[in-house]
């Protein structure tokens, strides 16, 4: 059985972190800068996850296409915030370790430069071994309350959306419930209502990813993107979205071989899918690894500008 190949530095070392349990209905204190028009680029949407414990979000903006100068990456994902559990209030809350908090607090220098290039910046949210997850909210009210924290964060820091990654929740810890069918449907429905113009993406793994329908409501169409979570493989996400919003290809930059990277990119184009997912972009010059997919997706090498 395949397992996700994320060499994840854990996002939640309590000794290094501060709780970011936002007040519900947080108002925006920072607004997103208007994006400058990027040079035209034809082809799939490219996504880059960045482990901000180790690397800078600004690395995403350092890659352009040799032909035309367009951005290689269209979406940058801050990896990652956490869904934590407060045993006193018995409620889930949004949590940022010191590195995620640093990125958010320094949005003017860490996030806005990407947005000004036309790159969308979204925040990934991940389980944290505490029993809280997207799939076990005990009520619609609890799910809606967490959705308020998510949308409040997007508004406060001028982000472009939220990415759901249902791993490491360890459902049942701290007396929490097991996954139920209603939880994620309530959460996604509330979040979409809170931020109709923003990105909601799905890292297609975990109990939440298989619980997209409840009570006659299917939330599949509320997602902008969904992608395969297994690096170096091809797997079509099991969600009712058009091919233009799906990434069956997933690669880890610097670890997935360039031949596999190229093969998956060719297949993406050949089979008409509209997204190509990459993980763990670091600060090294990865233009050779990146060019392995840009040649297939866009007909151009990638240029790295430090």
């Amino acid at each position: 059985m395949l397992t996700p190949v994320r060499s994840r530095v854990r996002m939640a070392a309590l000794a290094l972190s501060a709780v970011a349990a936002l007040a519900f209905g947080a108002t925006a204190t920072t607004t997103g800068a208007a994006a400058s028009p990027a040079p035209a680029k034809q082809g799939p949407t490219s996504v880059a996850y960045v482990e901000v414990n180790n690397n800078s979000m600004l690395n995403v903006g350092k890659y352009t296409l040799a032909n035309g100068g367009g951005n290689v990456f269209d979406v940058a994902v801050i990896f990652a915030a956490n869904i934590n559990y407060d045993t006193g209030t018995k409620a889930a809350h949004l949590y940022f370790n010191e590195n995620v908090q640093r990125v958010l607090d320094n949005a003017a220098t860490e996030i806005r430069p990407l947005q000004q290039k036309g790159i969308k910046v979204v925040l990934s949210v991940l389980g944290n071994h505490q029993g809280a997850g997207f799939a076990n909210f005990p009520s619609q009210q609890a799910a809606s309350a967490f959705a308020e924290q998510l949308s409040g964060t997007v508004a406060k820091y001028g982000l472009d959306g939220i990415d759901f990654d249902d791993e490491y929740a360890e459902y049942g810890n701290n007396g929490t419930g097991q996954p139920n069918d209603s939880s994620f449907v309530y959460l996604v429905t509330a979040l979409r209502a809170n931020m109709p113009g923003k990105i909601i993406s799905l890292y297609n793994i975990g109990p939440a990813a298989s619980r997209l329908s409840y009570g006659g409501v299917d939330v599949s169409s509320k997602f902008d993107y969904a992608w395969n979570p297994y690096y170096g493989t091809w797997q079509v996400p099991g969600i009712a979205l058009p091919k233009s919003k799906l990434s069956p290809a997933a690669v880890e930059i610097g670890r997935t071989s360039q031949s596999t990277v190229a093969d998956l990119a060719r297949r993406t184009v050949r089979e008409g899918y509209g997204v190509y997912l990459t993980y763990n972009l670091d600060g090294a010059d990865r233009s050779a690894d990146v060019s392995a997919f840009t040649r297939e997706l866009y007909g151009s090498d990638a240029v790295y500008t430090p």
Side-chain angles (χ1 to χ4, degrees):
M1 178 178 178
L2 292 171
T3 56
V5 191
R6 292 198 177 199
S7 55
R8 300 175 186 231
V9 177
R10 291 303 307 134
M11 293 290 107
L14 293 178
L16 297 176
S17 308
V19 171
L22 299 178
F24 298 157
T27 56
T29 59
T30 305
T31 56
S36 300
K41 181 180 79 174
Q42 299 296 320
T45 296
S46 291
V47 180
Y49 276 82
V50 178
E51 290 259 20
V52 297
N53 274 1
N54 305 308
N55 300 299
S56 170
M57 291 301 297
L58 296 178
N59 294 330
V60 181
K62 295 179 179 179
Y63 293 88
T64 55
L65 297 175
N67 299 339
N71 297 319
V72 165
F73 297 105
D74 304 287
V75 180
V77 184
I78 301 168
F79 189 79
N82 294 102
I83 177 171
N84 275 15
Y85 188 71
D86 187 318
T87 56
T89 62
K90 299 190 182 303
H93 61 86
L94 186 59
Y95 173 94
F96 310 134
N97 80 356
E98 64 175 5
N99 295 303
V100 173
Q101 188 68 65
R102 172 186 47 77
V103 171
L104 297 175
D105 287 343
N106 292 283
T109 55
E110 297 277 343
I111 295 170
R112 237 48 90 216
L114 298 179
Q115 293 173 325
Q116 289 164 357
K117 292 174 182 283
I119 299 168
K120 302 292 188 181
V121 180
V122 306
L123 178 66
S124 187
V125 185
L126 178 72
N128 196 21
H129 310 283
Q130 297 186 8
F134 314 127
N136 70 342
F137 289 106
S139 67
Q140 185 172 8
Q141 181 181 17
S144 295
F146 190 71
E148 287 286 345
Q149 294 185 50
L150 295 175
S151 59
T153 296
V154 169
K156 180 176 181 178
Y157 297 106
L159 301 173
D160 295 298
I162 293 292
D163 174 65
F164 287 112
D165 183 348
D166 190 14
E167 299 179 272
Y168 310 115
E170 296 187 19
Y171 291 102
N173 279 1
N174 290 314
T176 58
Q178 291 300 311
N180 62 65
D181 291 339
S182 63
S183 177
F184 198 44
V185 172
Y186 287 148
L187 176 61
V188 174
T189 299
L191 184 61
R192 177 51 77 204
N194 292 351
M195 46 180 228
K198 299 292 186 175
I199 291 170
I200 304 177
S201 58
L202 178 65
Y203 191 80
N204 190 49
I205 198 169
S210 62
R211 290 170 166 83
L212 301 178
S213 180
Y214 175 76
V217 176
D218 189 313
V219 294
S220 298
S221 64
K222 298 184 187 299
F223 289 94
D224 294 277
Y225 304 111
W227 28 71
N228 171 15
Y230 301 108
Y231 301 110
T233 74
W234 177 273
Q235 183 181 101
V236 180
I239 179 173
L241 285 173
K243 284 185 172 185
S244 61
K245 296 185 176 186
L246 297 176
S247 181
V251 303
E252 183 170 357
I253 294 174
R255 295 192 56 149
T256 303
S257 71
Q258 291 178 20
S259 61
T260 298
V261 167
D263 286 345
L264 292 172
R266 274 193 295 273
R267 187 170 180 183
T268 297
V269 173
R270 184 173 67 247
E271 298 192 18
Y273 287 94
V275 189
Y276 191 86
L277 178 68
T278 75
Y279 170 68
N280 206 25
L281 183 66
D282 60 19
D285 179 355
R286 296 293 183 183
S287 54
D289 296 295
V290 174
S291 292
F293 68 83
T294 61
R295 283 192 290 266
E296 306 301 331
L297 299 181
Y298 312 119
S300 174
D301 283 335
V303 176
Y304 172 76
T305 304

